Amino acid sequence: MIVLGIETSCDETACAIVDDTRAIRANVVLSQLDEHRPYGGVVPEVAARAHLHYLDGLIRQALDEAHLDLGQVDAIAATGGPGLIGGVIVGVMTAKAMAAARGLPFVAVNHLEGHALTARLTNDVPFPYLLLLVSGGHCQLLEVEGVGQYRRLGTTIDDAVGEAFDKTAKLLGLGYPGGPLLEKAAQKATNPSRFDLPAPMKGRPDCDFSFSGLKTAVRRHVEQLGTPTEADVADLAAAFHHAVGQSLLDRCDRAIKAFKGRHPTGKHLVVAGGVAANKYLREQLAKLAAKRGLTFTAPPLALCTDNAAMIAWAGLERFRLGQTDGLDFAPRPRWPLDPTAKPMKFAGVKA
């Protein structure tokens, strides 16, 4: 069984081909960082036009790398949401056109489910497992009980953690994208405990997250410093990492207790999403998992950020269960993994 996947939800244009042996036959990703860097963030219209310009060529490249033609593909999967709606439309319409022309099944994939199921592609993690999904647009704790079966334990009430990384990096004058630059700066810290930053929500009885207050605390330190030196930036970056780590560990620890209570056979803590590429956070989460008797699993760094291999795999998981979509599928800017979970008042698309 071979599935071609398309990912166009934000600022990466991507196409991949995977099969049911978990082999990634091709995984082509074109970053749009250069197009968006002058603006300090992703511009939706610029992203959509770039997807439209590059996608056809990337599909051809993926097929060539996999030594396949479209007639050897069993299904076409594409991100159907959530995401920037212009980009999602480009990917969905391209996938529909290919499916219609070749008489192939079409599978609309929830972008978040792509992240959620990546650990099954790379590590064959069995259901159920506990997932920490951390990216630029989302921060959630979920029990993954099966394909399309998710129970949300916690979500952010304001900023996503990746968003907090980007905004903090901007406050420190590090540029965009903020996550990798902030991590690099933190590694140069000579006094990482110099600044006392709060660990948001630590000790609260639920599993929700908040990062807007932490971002505000960083801003106040920057204002007090005036013009931060390189040493100031490094120490603040390290303090920010520590505060985020403490918050995530506290929230995950509470989620682990809830997860074990409902799923005593569950043995895995999985982290996915762009922020899962952060080495410091991976190390801290691995220690927590070991302490609680769970196996820690994180995808390879290249599969943490947005990519089409995860979309192709999620499409394959759904396709072999008979879960396909009609060509009348409408792209969705918002698409929660757990539709029964109560929407958070200020979380918006991040819930």
Side-chain angles (χ1 to χ4, degrees), residues 185-198 221 230-244 246 280:
Q187 293 168 356
K188 299 178 182 178
T190 57
N191 187 2
S193 59
R194 174 181 164 198
F195 296 100
D196 184 22
L197 294 177
H221 280 296
E230 186 176 345
D232 294 333
V233 170
D235 290 344
L236 262 174
F240 177 83
H241 269 78
H242 178 74
V244 170
Q246 290 299 301
Y280 171 77

Side-chain angles (χ1 to χ4, degrees), residues 43-65:
V43 181
E45 178 65 18
V46 172
R49 288 180 179 274
H51 292 313
L52 192 61
H53 181 74
Y54 293 115
L55 184 55
D56 287 355
L58 292 183
I59 293 170
R60 181 72 268 168
Q61 183 180 343
L63 288 166
D64 288 345
E65 289 187 9

Side-chain angles (χ1 to χ4, degrees), residues 88-139:
V88 174
I89 289 172
V90 171
V92 166
M93 295 306 292
T94 302
K96 284 182 180 181
M98 294 166 65
R102 291 286 184 163
L104 295 171
F106 166 67
V107 184
V109 173
N110 186 315
H111 176 83
L112 304 181
E113 184 161 50
H115 282 302
L117 298 178
T118 300
R120 288 175 52 77
L121 167 62
T122 59
N123 297 82
D124 197 14
V125 175
F127 299 122
Y129 54 89
L130 179 64
L131 171 69
L132 171 64
L133 177 56
V134 277
S135 68
H138 301 272
C139 187

Side-chain angles (χ1 to χ4, degrees), residues 5-7 9 18 77-82 107-122 127 129 131 133 138 142 144 146-148 150 270-274 299 303-318 335 337:
I6 294 171
E7 157 59 21
S9 67
V18 304
T79 297
V107 184
V109 173
N110 186 315
H111 176 83
L112 304 181
E113 184 161 50
H115 282 302
L117 298 178
T118 300
R120 288 175 52 77
L121 167 62
T122 59
F127 299 122
Y129 54 89
L131 171 69
L133 177 56
H138 301 272
L142 301 131
V144 183
V147 177
Y150 302 91
V270 174
V271 63
L303 296 183
C304 289
T305 52
D306 290 351
N307 64 89
M310 69 179 191
I311 301 304
W313 176 255
L316 191 151
E317 291 248 43
R318 288 194 57 207
W335 192 354
L337 281 178

Side-chain angles (χ1 to χ4, degrees), residues 13-264:
T13 311
C15 181
I17 298 171
V18 304
D19 64 35
D20 55 1
T21 70
R22 293 185 169 80
I24 301 175
R25 299 196 179 193
N27 187 28
V28 183
V29 181
L30 180 68
S31 173
Q32 299 176 10
L33 281 179
D34 290 342
E35 285 92 337
H36 299 285
R37 187 176 284 112
Y39 307 101
V42 179
V43 181
E45 178 65 18
V46 172
R49 288 180 179 274
H51 292 313
L52 192 61
H53 181 74
Y54 293 115
L55 184 55
D56 287 355
L58 292 183
I59 293 170
R60 181 72 268 168
Q61 183 180 343
L63 288 166
D64 288 345
E65 289 187 9
H67 304 292
L68 297 170
D69 61 48
L70 204 52
Q72 295 170 283
V73 171
D74 296 297
I76 308 289
T79 297
L84 302 177
I85 192 61
V88 174
I89 289 172
V90 171
V92 166
M93 295 306 292
T94 302
K96 284 182 180 181
M98 294 166 65
R102 291 286 184 163
L104 295 171
F106 166 67
V107 184
V109 173
N110 186 315
H111 176 83
L112 304 181
E113 184 161 50
H115 282 302
L117 298 178
T118 300
R120 288 175 52 77
L121 167 62
T122 59
N123 297 82
D124 197 14
V125 175
F127 299 122
Y129 54 89
L130 179 64
L131 171 69
L132 171 64
L133 177 56
V134 277
S135 68
H138 301 272
C139 187
Q140 301 180 31
L141 279 160
L142 301 131
E143 292 177 355
V144 183
E145 299 171 336
V147 177
Q149 300 175 39
Y150 302 91
R151 181 195 300 268
R152 196 188 78 197
L153 301 181
T155 186
T156 180
I157 63 173
D158 41 58
D159 292 347
V161 64
E163 182 182 1
F165 268 89
D166 283 340
K167 291 180 178 178
T168 297
K170 188 173 183 179
L171 285 170
L172 297 178
L174 293 175
Y176 177 84
L181 296 171
L182 202 61
E183 183 177 12
K184 186 176 180 180
Q187 293 168 356
K188 299 178 182 178
T190 57
N191 187 2
S193 59
R194 174 181 164 198
F195 296 100
D196 184 22
L197 294 177
M201 307 293 277
K202 185 176 180 180
R204 296 286 184 92
D206 53 40
C207 299
D208 292 328
F209 303 87
S210 171
F211 295 101
S212 63
L214 175 58
K215 180 183 61 184
T216 300
V218 173
R219 179 174 59 81
R220 287 174 178 164
H221 280 296
V222 171
E223 290 172 348
Q224 291 169 3
L225 290 167
T227 304
T229 65
E230 186 176 345
D232 294 333
V233 170
D235 290 344
L236 262 174
F240 177 83
H241 269 78
H242 178 74
V244 170
Q246 290 299 301
S247 178
L248 292 180
L249 291 175
D250 179 78
R251 308 287 82 199
C252 285
D253 201 22
R254 292 182 175 276
I256 287 171
K257 293 173 184 176
F259 174 70
K260 283 187 169 182
R262 266 188 295 271
H263 302 285

